[in-house]
Amino acid sequence: LSFSKALQTYKSELGERHPITLRNVSNVSVLLLEEAEGLTKSEAKSIIDAAKFEMEGALGAFLSLNDSWAYRFDVASLKTNLGLVAVWQGKPKKARKLLKQIEGIEVLADSVLEKRIATLKVLLEKLEKEKEK
């Protein structure tokens, strides 16, 4: 898989915990999620699981850098993507927990990130209504 090779290259060149490496890992994970969108649920599962694993690792690494203000957009973006994965997996409680954490992070108004957070809210509300039935 070319994504796997790209991830290894980023990690080896700058180090696994360098912010640029973490951003690139996050970006490649988003590309994996986009690739999975066009597949059936069974085909997409392993791709989404791999992306989720990489994003969780990147999130943990950003949090360990102990500079929440400098990396707030990275953290908010990762949590948003993980929230979207939780919705896809049918886990509204996990998605709601992530959304509450995201809402405590200041993001730019009218940014792409703010729009993705709004999408997460809509999809989560839809999932919660489906689960109520």
Side-chain angles (χ1 to χ4, degrees), residues 83-115:
L84 291 167
V85 168
V87 167
W88 181 86
Q89 292 176 325
K91 299 178 179 178
K93 288 181 183 177
K94 182 168 184 151
R96 178 65 59 195
K97 179 181 175 186
L98 287 163
L99 185 58
K100 284 182 181 178
Q101 293 171 3
I102 295 163
E103 288 172 342
I105 300 171
E106 186 180 323
V107 298
L108 298 172
D110 297 323
S111 65
V112 171
L113 179 55
E114 185 183 60
K115 291 176 180 132

PDB file of all heavy atoms in Angstrom, residues 83-115:
ATOM      1  N   GLY A  83     -14.178  11.453  15.486  1.00  0.00           N
ATOM      2  CA  GLY A  83     -15.625  11.512  15.717  1.00  0.00           C
ATOM      3  C   GLY A  83     -16.394  11.008  14.507  1.00  0.00           C
ATOM      4  O   GLY A  83     -17.375  10.269  14.645  1.00  0.00           O
ATOM      5  N   LEU A  84     -15.936  11.369  13.325  1.00  0.00           N
ATOM      6  CA  LEU A  84     -16.578  10.895  12.101  1.00  0.00           C
ATOM      7  C   LEU A  84     -16.422   9.381  11.959  1.00  0.00           C
ATOM      8  O   LEU A  84     -17.349   8.692  11.534  1.00  0.00           O
ATOM      9  CB  LEU A  84     -16.012  11.627  10.879  1.00  0.00           C
ATOM     10  CG  LEU A  84     -16.381  13.116  10.795  1.00  0.00           C
ATOM     11  CD1 LEU A  84     -15.521  13.826   9.748  1.00  0.00           C
ATOM     12  CD2 LEU A  84     -17.859  13.294  10.501  1.00  0.00           C
ATOM     13  N   VAL A  85     -15.270   8.860  12.338  1.00  0.00           N
ATOM     14  CA  VAL A  85     -15.065   7.413  12.323  1.00  0.00           C
ATOM     15  C   VAL A  85     -16.022   6.741  13.307  1.00  0.00           C
ATOM     16  O   VAL A  85     -16.637   5.718  12.995  1.00  0.00           O
ATOM     17  CB  VAL A  85     -13.593   7.049  12.639  1.00  0.00           C
ATOM     18  CG1 VAL A  85     -13.441   5.563  12.903  1.00  0.00           C
ATOM     19  CG2 VAL A  85     -12.680   7.485  11.498  1.00  0.00           C
ATOM     20  N   ALA A  86     -16.165   7.332  14.497  1.00  0.00           N
ATOM     21  CA  ALA A  86     -17.078   6.768  15.503  1.00  0.00           C
ATOM     22  C   ALA A  86     -18.516   6.743  14.979  1.00  0.00           C
ATOM     23  O   ALA A  86     -19.246   5.774  15.198  1.00  0.00           O
ATOM     24  CB  ALA A  86     -16.991   7.560  16.804  1.00  0.00           C
ATOM     25  N   VAL A  87     -18.921   7.786  14.276  1.00  0.00           N
ATOM     26  CA  VAL A  87     -20.262   7.812  13.677  1.00  0.00           C
ATOM     27  C   VAL A  87     -20.375   6.685  12.652  1.00  0.00           C
ATOM     28  O   VAL A  87     -21.354   5.935  12.643  1.00  0.00           O
ATOM     29  CB  VAL A  87     -20.567   9.191  13.030  1.00  0.00           C
ATOM     30  CG1 VAL A  87     -21.799   9.120  12.149  1.00  0.00           C
ATOM     31  CG2 VAL A  87     -20.735  10.249  14.103  1.00  0.00           C
ATOM     32  N   TRP A  88     -19.376   6.551  11.798  1.00  0.00           N
ATOM     33  CA  TRP A  88     -19.397   5.497  10.779  1.00  0.00           C
ATOM     34  C   TRP A  88     -19.488   4.124  11.432  1.00  0.00           C
ATOM     35  O   TRP A  88     -20.165   3.237  10.926  1.00  0.00           O
ATOM     36  CB  TRP A  88     -18.140   5.590   9.914  1.00  0.00           C
ATOM     37  CG  TRP A  88     -18.099   4.559   8.833  1.00  0.00           C
ATOM     38  CD1 TRP A  88     -18.664   4.655   7.587  1.00  0.00           C
ATOM     39  CD2 TRP A  88     -17.495   3.267   8.880  1.00  0.00           C
ATOM     40  NE1 TRP A  88     -18.435   3.508   6.870  1.00  0.00           N
ATOM     41  CE2 TRP A  88     -17.726   2.630   7.646  1.00  0.00           C
ATOM     42  CE3 TRP A  88     -16.781   2.579   9.852  1.00  0.00           C
ATOM     43  CZ2 TRP A  88     -17.265   1.355   7.352  1.00  0.00           C
ATOM     44  CZ3 TRP A  88     -16.330   1.304   9.561  1.00  0.00           C
ATOM     45  CH2 TRP A  88     -16.567   0.708   8.318  1.00  0.00           C
ATOM     46  N   GLN A  89     -18.817   3.966  12.586  1.00  0.00           N
ATOM     47  CA  GLN A  89     -18.827   2.685  13.289  1.00  0.00           C
ATOM     48  C   GLN A  89     -20.101   2.487  14.120  1.00  0.00           C
ATOM     49  O   GLN A  89     -20.264   1.442  14.734  1.00  0.00           O
ATOM     50  CB  GLN A  89     -17.600   2.570  14.210  1.00  0.00           C
ATOM     51  CG  GLN A  89     -16.297   2.469  13.443  1.00  0.00           C
ATOM     52  CD  GLN A  89     -15.086   2.452  14.358  1.00  0.00           C
ATOM     53  OE1 GLN A  89     -15.051   3.095  15.394  1.00  0.00           O
ATOM     54  NE2 GLN A  89     -14.063   1.707  13.953  1.00  0.00           N
ATOM     55  N   GLY A  90     -20.967   3.508  14.141  1.00  0.00           N
ATOM     56  CA  GLY A  90     -22.207   3.389  14.896  1.00  0.00           C
ATOM     57  C   GLY A  90     -22.010   3.535  16.391  1.00  0.00           C
ATOM     58  O   GLY A  90     -22.728   2.918  17.182  1.00  0.00           O
ATOM     59  N   LYS A  91     -21.045   4.366  16.800  1.00  0.00           N
ATOM     60  CA  LYS A  91     -20.737   4.584  18.217  1.00  0.00           C
ATOM     61  C   LYS A  91     -21.032   6.031  18.611  1.00  0.00           C
ATOM     62  O   LYS A  91     -20.124   6.861  18.723  1.00  0.00           O
ATOM     63  CB  LYS A  91     -19.266   4.254  18.489  1.00  0.00           C
ATOM     64  CG  LYS A  91     -18.899   2.810  18.203  1.00  0.00           C
ATOM     65  CD  LYS A  91     -17.427   2.561  18.452  1.00  0.00           C
ATOM     66  CE  LYS A  91     -17.063   1.114  18.189  1.00  0.00           C
ATOM     67  NZ  LYS A  91     -15.631   0.862  18.368  1.00  0.00           N
ATOM     68  N   PRO A  92     -22.335   6.341  18.845  1.00  0.00           N
ATOM     69  CA  PRO A  92     -22.690   7.728  19.142  1.00  0.00           C
ATOM     70  C   PRO A  92     -22.102   8.262  20.453  1.00  0.00           C
ATOM     71  O   PRO A  92     -21.772   9.447  20.538  1.00  0.00           O
ATOM     72  CB  PRO A  92     -24.212   7.713  19.186  1.00  0.00           C
ATOM     73  CG  PRO A  92     -24.580   6.298  19.456  1.00  0.00           C
ATOM     74  CD  PRO A  92     -23.505   5.463  18.836  1.00  0.00           C
ATOM     75  N   LYS A  93     -21.945   7.424  21.453  1.00  0.00           N
ATOM     76  CA  LYS A  93     -21.398   7.904  22.735  1.00  0.00           C
ATOM     77  C   LYS A  93     -19.956   8.370  22.575  1.00  0.00           C
ATOM     78  O   LYS A  93     -19.576   9.414  23.107  1.00  0.00           O
ATOM     79  CB  LYS A  93     -21.492   6.818  23.808  1.00  0.00           C
ATOM     80  CG  LYS A  93     -22.901   6.572  24.283  1.00  0.00           C
ATOM     81  CD  LYS A  93     -22.958   5.518  25.361  1.00  0.00           C
ATOM     82  CE  LYS A  93     -24.410   5.250  25.748  1.00  0.00           C
ATOM     83  NZ  LYS A  93     -24.493   4.184  26.743  1.00  0.00           N
ATOM     84  N   LYS A  94     -19.173   7.592  21.842  1.00  0.00           N
ATOM     85  CA  LYS A  94     -17.774   7.982  21.602  1.00  0.00           C
ATOM     86  C   LYS A  94     -17.718   9.269  20.779  1.00  0.00           C
ATOM     87  O   LYS A  94     -16.939  10.174  21.069  1.00  0.00           O
ATOM     88  CB  LYS A  94     -17.025   6.863  20.895  1.00  0.00           C
ATOM     89  CG  LYS A  94     -15.570   7.195  20.659  1.00  0.00           C
ATOM     90  CD  LYS A  94     -14.766   6.004  20.237  1.00  0.00           C
ATOM     91  CE  LYS A  94     -13.326   6.422  20.127  1.00  0.00           C
ATOM     92  NZ  LYS A  94     -12.403   5.365  20.382  1.00  0.00           N
ATOM     93  N   ALA A  95     -18.556   9.356  19.752  1.00  0.00           N
ATOM     94  CA  ALA A  95     -18.587  10.557  18.912  1.00  0.00           C
ATOM     95  C   ALA A  95     -19.029  11.773  19.718  1.00  0.00           C
ATOM     96  O   ALA A  95     -18.458  12.857  19.577  1.00  0.00           O
ATOM     97  CB  ALA A  95     -19.515  10.346  17.721  1.00  0.00           C
ATOM     98  N   ARG A  96     -20.007  11.612  20.586  1.00  0.00           N
ATOM     99  CA  ARG A  96     -20.502  12.723  21.412  1.00  0.00           C
ATOM    100  C   ARG A  96     -19.411  13.185  22.372  1.00  0.00           C
ATOM    101  O   ARG A  96     -19.213  14.390  22.562  1.00  0.00           O
ATOM    102  CB  ARG A  96     -21.755  12.275  22.176  1.00  0.00           C
ATOM    103  CG  ARG A  96     -22.346  13.288  23.109  1.00  0.00           C
ATOM    104  CD  ARG A  96     -22.895  14.528  22.487  1.00  0.00           C
ATOM    105  NE  ARG A  96     -23.943  14.318  21.521  1.00  0.00           N
ATOM    106  CZ  ARG A  96     -24.345  15.259  20.671  1.00  0.00           C
ATOM    107  NH1 ARG A  96     -23.788  16.456  20.665  1.00  0.00           N
ATOM    108  NH2 ARG A  96     -25.297  15.006  19.800  1.00  0.00           N
ATOM    109  N   LYS A  97     -18.668  12.247  22.956  1.00  0.00           N
ATOM    110  CA  LYS A  97     -17.566  12.589  23.870  1.00  0.00           C
ATOM    111  C   LYS A  97     -16.506  13.414  23.138  1.00  0.00           C
ATOM    112  O   LYS A  97     -16.035  14.435  23.645  1.00  0.00           O
ATOM    113  CB  LYS A  97     -16.954  11.313  24.447  1.00  0.00           C
ATOM    114  CG  LYS A  97     -15.806  11.545  25.389  1.00  0.00           C
ATOM    115  CD  LYS A  97     -15.231  10.231  25.897  1.00  0.00           C
ATOM    116  CE  LYS A  97     -14.006  10.480  26.754  1.00  0.00           C
ATOM    117  NZ  LYS A  97     -13.344   9.246  27.151  1.00  0.00           N
ATOM    118  N   LEU A  98     -16.139  12.979  21.942  1.00  0.00           N
ATOM    119  CA  LEU A  98     -15.155  13.719  21.148  1.00  0.00           C
ATOM    120  C   LEU A  98     -15.682  15.095  20.771  1.00  0.00           C
ATOM    121  O   LEU A  98     -14.948  16.089  20.830  1.00  0.00           O
ATOM    122  CB  LEU A  98     -14.775  12.921  19.898  1.00  0.00           C
ATOM    123  CG  LEU A  98     -13.882  11.710  20.151  1.00  0.00           C
ATOM    124  CD1 LEU A  98     -13.912  10.762  18.964  1.00  0.00           C
ATOM    125  CD2 LEU A  98     -12.451  12.149  20.442  1.00  0.00           C
ATOM    126  N   LEU A  99     -16.958  15.173  20.404  1.00  0.00           N
ATOM    127  CA  LEU A  99     -17.543  16.458  20.026  1.00  0.00           C
ATOM    128  C   LEU A  99     -17.512  17.443  21.197  1.00  0.00           C
ATOM    129  O   LEU A  99     -17.195  18.620  21.015  1.00  0.00           O
ATOM    130  CB  LEU A  99     -18.981  16.260  19.521  1.00  0.00           C
ATOM    131  CG  LEU A  99     -19.666  17.501  18.976  1.00  0.00           C
ATOM    132  CD1 LEU A  99     -18.880  18.120  17.826  1.00  0.00           C
ATOM    133  CD2 LEU A  99     -21.076  17.164  18.526  1.00  0.00           C
ATOM    134  N   LYS A 100     -17.790  16.975  22.400  1.00  0.00           N
ATOM    135  CA  LYS A 100     -17.725  17.852  23.580  1.00  0.00           C
ATOM    136  C   LYS A 100     -16.305  18.371  23.793  1.00  0.00           C
ATOM    137  O   LYS A 100     -16.115  19.532  24.145  1.00  0.00           O
ATOM    138  CB  LYS A 100     -18.222  17.116  24.820  1.00  0.00           C
ATOM    139  CG  LYS A 100     -19.726  16.978  24.851  1.00  0.00           C
ATOM    140  CD  LYS A 100     -20.209  16.283  26.098  1.00  0.00           C
ATOM    141  CE  LYS A 100     -21.731  16.155  26.040  1.00  0.00           C
ATOM    142  NZ  LYS A 100     -22.276  15.458  27.186  1.00  0.00           N
ATOM    143  N   GLN A 101     -15.324  17.507  23.573  1.00  0.00           N
ATOM    144  CA  GLN A 101     -13.925  17.935  23.698  1.00  0.00           C
ATOM    145  C   GLN A 101     -13.579  18.965  22.627  1.00  0.00           C
ATOM    146  O   GLN A 101     -12.893  19.951  22.899  1.00  0.00           O
ATOM    147  CB  GLN A 101     -12.995  16.730  23.594  1.00  0.00           C
ATOM    148  CG  GLN A 101     -13.120  15.762  24.743  1.00  0.00           C
ATOM    149  CD  GLN A 101     -12.352  14.468  24.506  1.00  0.00           C
ATOM    150  OE1 GLN A 101     -11.658  14.303  23.492  1.00  0.00           O
ATOM    151  NE2 GLN A 101     -12.472  13.532  25.429  1.00  0.00           N
ATOM    152  N   ILE A 102     -14.060  18.740  21.423  1.00  0.00           N
ATOM    153  CA  ILE A 102     -13.799  19.660  20.304  1.00  0.00           C
ATOM    154  C   ILE A 102     -14.405  21.026  20.588  1.00  0.00           C
ATOM    155  O   ILE A 102     -13.794  22.061  20.312  1.00  0.00           O
ATOM    156  CB  ILE A 102     -14.366  19.094  18.978  1.00  0.00           C
ATOM    157  CG1 ILE A 102     -13.632  17.816  18.587  1.00  0.00           C
ATOM    158  CG2 ILE A 102     -14.291  20.125  17.860  1.00  0.00           C
ATOM    159  CD1 ILE A 102     -14.365  16.977  17.557  1.00  0.00           C
ATOM    160  N   GLU A 103     -15.606  21.031  21.148  1.00  0.00           N
ATOM    161  CA  GLU A 103     -16.282  22.298  21.406  1.00  0.00           C
ATOM    162  C   GLU A 103     -15.542  23.154  22.427  1.00  0.00           C
ATOM    163  O   GLU A 103     -15.748  24.357  22.497  1.00  0.00           O
ATOM    164  CB  GLU A 103     -17.726  22.030  21.838  1.00  0.00           C
ATOM    165  CG  GLU A 103     -18.576  21.542  20.666  1.00  0.00           C
ATOM    166  CD  GLU A 103     -19.968  21.076  21.055  1.00  0.00           C
ATOM    167  OE1 GLU A 103     -20.222  20.787  22.248  1.00  0.00           O
ATOM    168  OE2 GLU A 103     -20.815  20.991  20.137  1.00  0.00           O
ATOM    169  N   GLY A 104     -14.644  22.554  23.202  1.00  0.00           N
ATOM    170  CA  GLY A 104     -13.832  23.310  24.144  1.00  0.00           C
ATOM    171  C   GLY A 104     -12.573  23.898  23.522  1.00  0.00           C
ATOM    172  O   GLY A 104     -11.791  24.551  24.197  1.00  0.00           O
ATOM    173  N   ILE A 105     -12.381  23.673  22.227  1.00  0.00           N
ATOM    174  CA  ILE A 105     -11.191  24.162  21.517  1.00  0.00           C
ATOM    175  C   ILE A 105     -11.614  25.312  20.615  1.00  0.00           C
ATOM    176  O   ILE A 105     -12.567  25.210  19.865  1.00  0.00           O
ATOM    177  CB  ILE A 105     -10.559  23.035  20.664  1.00  0.00           C
ATOM    178  CG1 ILE A 105     -10.144  21.858  21.557  1.00  0.00           C
ATOM    179  CG2 ILE A 105      -9.357  23.572  19.883  1.00  0.00           C
ATOM    180  CD1 ILE A 105      -9.715  20.621  20.785  1.00  0.00           C
ATOM    181  N   GLU A 106     -10.882  26.400  20.702  1.00  0.00           N
ATOM    182  CA  GLU A 106     -11.198  27.565  19.874  1.00  0.00           C
ATOM    183  C   GLU A 106     -10.699  27.346  18.451  1.00  0.00           C
ATOM    184  O   GLU A 106      -9.508  27.153  18.224  1.00  0.00           O
ATOM    185  CB  GLU A 106     -10.519  28.804  20.476  1.00  0.00           C
ATOM    186  CG  GLU A 106     -10.877  30.102  19.791  1.00  0.00           C
ATOM    187  CD  GLU A 106     -10.181  31.291  20.437  1.00  0.00           C
ATOM    188  OE1 GLU A 106     -10.036  31.297  21.671  1.00  0.00           O
ATOM    189  OE2 GLU A 106      -9.788  32.201  19.694  1.00  0.00           O
ATOM    190  N   VAL A 107     -11.633  27.338  17.497  1.00  0.00           N
ATOM    191  CA  VAL A 107     -11.265  27.210  16.082  1.00  0.00           C
ATOM    192  C   VAL A 107     -11.717  28.459  15.332  1.00  0.00           C
ATOM    193  O   VAL A 107     -12.574  29.203  15.810  1.00  0.00           O
ATOM    194  CB  VAL A 107     -11.874  25.944  15.430  1.00  0.00           C
ATOM    195  CG1 VAL A 107     -11.357  24.686  16.103  1.00  0.00           C
ATOM    196  CG2 VAL A 107     -13.366  25.973  15.455  1.00  0.00           C
ATOM    197  N   LEU A 108     -11.142  28.680  14.183  1.00  0.00           N
ATOM    198  CA  LEU A 108     -11.471  29.860  13.390  1.00  0.00           C
ATOM    199  C   LEU A 108     -12.875  29.759  12.805  1.00  0.00           C
ATOM    200  O   LEU A 108     -13.260  28.724  12.264  1.00  0.00           O
ATOM    201  CB  LEU A 108     -10.463  30.027  12.254  1.00  0.00           C
ATOM    202  CG  LEU A 108      -9.008  30.245  12.671  1.00  0.00           C
ATOM    203  CD1 LEU A 108      -8.103  30.205  11.444  1.00  0.00           C
ATOM    204  CD2 LEU A 108      -8.852  31.558  13.406  1.00  0.00           C
ATOM    205  N   ALA A 109     -13.613  30.856  12.908  1.00  0.00           N
ATOM    206  CA  ALA A 109     -14.950  30.905  12.315  1.00  0.00           C
ATOM    207  C   ALA A 109     -14.834  30.801  10.802  1.00  0.00           C
ATOM    208  O   ALA A 109     -13.888  31.305  10.198  1.00  0.00           O
ATOM    209  CB  ALA A 109     -15.644  32.205  12.715  1.00  0.00           C
ATOM    210  N   ASP A 110     -15.791  30.135  10.206  1.00  0.00           N
ATOM    211  CA  ASP A 110     -15.855  29.962   8.749  1.00  0.00           C
ATOM    212  C   ASP A 110     -14.666  29.201   8.161  1.00  0.00           C
ATOM    213  O   ASP A 110     -14.377  29.312   6.977  1.00  0.00           O
ATOM    214  CB  ASP A 110     -16.011  31.309   8.026  1.00  0.00           C
ATOM    215  CG  ASP A 110     -17.300  32.002   8.392  1.00  0.00           C
ATOM    216  OD1 ASP A 110     -18.326  31.308   8.569  1.00  0.00           O
ATOM    217  OD2 ASP A 110     -17.302  33.244   8.523  1.00  0.00           O
ATOM    218  N   SER A 111     -13.962  28.454   8.984  1.00  0.00           N
ATOM    219  CA  SER A 111     -12.838  27.662   8.479  1.00  0.00           C
ATOM    220  C   SER A 111     -13.341  26.307   8.004  1.00  0.00           C
ATOM    221  O   SER A 111     -14.456  25.893   8.311  1.00  0.00           O
ATOM    222  CB  SER A 111     -11.793  27.465   9.580  1.00  0.00           C
ATOM    223  OG  SER A 111     -12.336  26.678  10.630  1.00  0.00           O
ATOM    224  N   VAL A 112     -12.508  25.601   7.256  1.00  0.00           N
ATOM    225  CA  VAL A 112     -12.845  24.253   6.814  1.00  0.00           C
ATOM    226  C   VAL A 112     -13.071  23.362   8.034  1.00  0.00           C
ATOM    227  O   VAL A 112     -13.988  22.544   8.054  1.00  0.00           O
ATOM    228  CB  VAL A 112     -11.722  23.687   5.909  1.00  0.00           C
ATOM    229  CG1 VAL A 112     -11.944  22.229   5.613  1.00  0.00           C
ATOM    230  CG2 VAL A 112     -11.619  24.493   4.629  1.00  0.00           C
ATOM    231  N   LEU A 113     -12.242  23.553   9.055  1.00  0.00           N
ATOM    232  CA  LEU A 113     -12.383  22.758  10.276  1.00  0.00           C
ATOM    233  C   LEU A 113     -13.745  22.996  10.932  1.00  0.00           C
ATOM    234  O   LEU A 113     -14.420  22.045  11.340  1.00  0.00           O
ATOM    235  CB  LEU A 113     -11.247  23.069  11.254  1.00  0.00           C
ATOM    236  CG  LEU A 113     -11.275  22.326  12.586  1.00  0.00           C
ATOM    237  CD1 LEU A 113     -11.333  20.813  12.381  1.00  0.00           C
ATOM    238  CD2 LEU A 113     -10.059  22.710  13.417  1.00  0.00           C
ATOM    239  N   GLU A 114     -14.158  24.236  11.016  1.00  0.00           N
ATOM    240  CA  GLU A 114     -15.460  24.528  11.602  1.00  0.00           C
ATOM    241  C   GLU A 114     -16.584  23.858  10.802  1.00  0.00           C
ATOM    242  O   GLU A 114     -17.541  23.329  11.374  1.00  0.00           O
ATOM    243  CB  GLU A 114     -15.706  26.038  11.665  1.00  0.00           C
ATOM    244  CG  GLU A 114     -16.998  26.390  12.392  1.00  0.00           C
ATOM    245  CD  GLU A 114     -17.281  27.878  12.407  1.00  0.00           C
ATOM    246  OE1 GLU A 114     -17.418  28.465  11.322  1.00  0.00           O
ATOM    247  OE2 GLU A 114     -17.372  28.432  13.518  1.00  0.00           O
ATOM    248  N   LYS A 115     -16.452  23.839   9.497  1.00  0.00           N
ATOM    249  CA  LYS A 115     -17.462  23.177   8.653  1.00  0.00           C
ATOM    250  C   LYS A 115     -17.466  21.668   8.879  1.00  0.00           C
ATOM    251  O   LYS A 115     -18.526  21.037   8.894  1.00  0.00           O
ATOM    252  CB  LYS A 115     -17.219  23.519   7.183  1.00  0.00           C
ATOM    253  CG  LYS A 115     -17.522  24.975   6.868  1.00  0.00           C
ATOM    254  CD  LYS A 115     -17.191  25.342   5.452  1.00  0.00           C
ATOM    255  CE  LYS A 115     -17.517  26.806   5.244  1.00  0.00           C
ATOM    256  NZ  LYS A 115     -16.480  27.551   4.611  1.00  0.00           N
TER     257      LYS A 115
END
